[in-house]
Amino acid sequence: MAAALSALLLRPAAVRIVAPRAHPAAAASRLLCAATAGEASSSPAAPRRLVLYTKPGCCLCDGLKEKLHAAVLLSGTPYSLASLELQERDITTNLEWERLYQYEIPVLAKVLPDGTEEILPRLSPRLTVELIQKKVSSLFDQ
């Protein structure tokens, strides 16, 4: 499993790292990855956006982050995350985030079309990359 995960993380893919927005509240927020589809489509789909609330030194956060990256890079499945944008937010840099999530991290939130966030049920650290890909994909099919 570790070798497969390493191979996925090291494999070149259509993933771009994007710098954070200049907005002051977004200074502690990083866009971890934005996967782009390998081929152009006639009608651009709305981006699927997730926010991962985390903090330095959180091993559960690091594990989920690695699996989410691997799930974005995993191809050849019916649950492609080709248009997923994953943003990381360090709760120690924002008092409101720290108050809300200090005992809950890692917290994964889906960004709704109106810009609000919907907190998602916690993903088990024991889930495989394939199951995480399937679960994340299903969140956007609802």
Side-chain angles (χ1 to χ4, degrees):
M1 170 75 175
L5 184 59
S6 294
L8 284 172
L9 292 174
L10 298 176
R11 181 176 51 142
V15 175
R16 59 187 164 88
I17 304 298
V18 181
R21 289 177 247 143
H23 188 275
S29 175
R30 290 187 304 139
L31 191 58
L32 293 176
C33 61
T36 56
E39 52 195 63
S41 65
S42 57
S43 62
R48 300 181 296 173
R49 297 172 39 207
L50 289 179
V51 175
L52 177 62
Y53 289 93
T54 182
K55 73 176 183 179
C58 172
C59 60
L60 287 174
C61 301
D62 293 341
L64 180 57
K65 192 182 333 178
E66 286 178 16
K67 286 188 176 183
L68 286 168
H69 277 287
V72 167
L73 295 173
L74 185 63
S75 59
T77 70
Y79 307 106
S80 173
L81 300 178
S83 65
L84 181 72
E85 291 180 14
L86 178 62
Q87 185 177 40
E88 176 186 9
R89 293 188 181 162
D90 180 357
I91 66 166
T92 63
T93 61
N94 182 300
L95 291 176
E96 182 65 14
W97 296 341
E98 190 166 27
R99 185 185 68 73
L100 289 170
Y101 306 124
Q102 65 181 330
Y103 302 114
E104 303 295 324
I105 60 169
V107 173
L108 198 58
K110 175 182 170 182
V111 180
L112 301 174
D114 65 359
T116 59
E117 295 176 5
E118 174 188 344
I119 302 300
L120 302 173
R122 182 176 295 230
L123 296 173
S124 169
R126 295 182 179 185
L127 289 177
T128 64
V129 171
E130 293 83 4
L131 281 175
I132 286 180
Q133 185 186 50
K134 183 177 180 180
K135 285 184 172 286
V136 169
S137 179
S138 71
L139 295 171
F140 293 97
D141 293 339
Q142 297 175 1

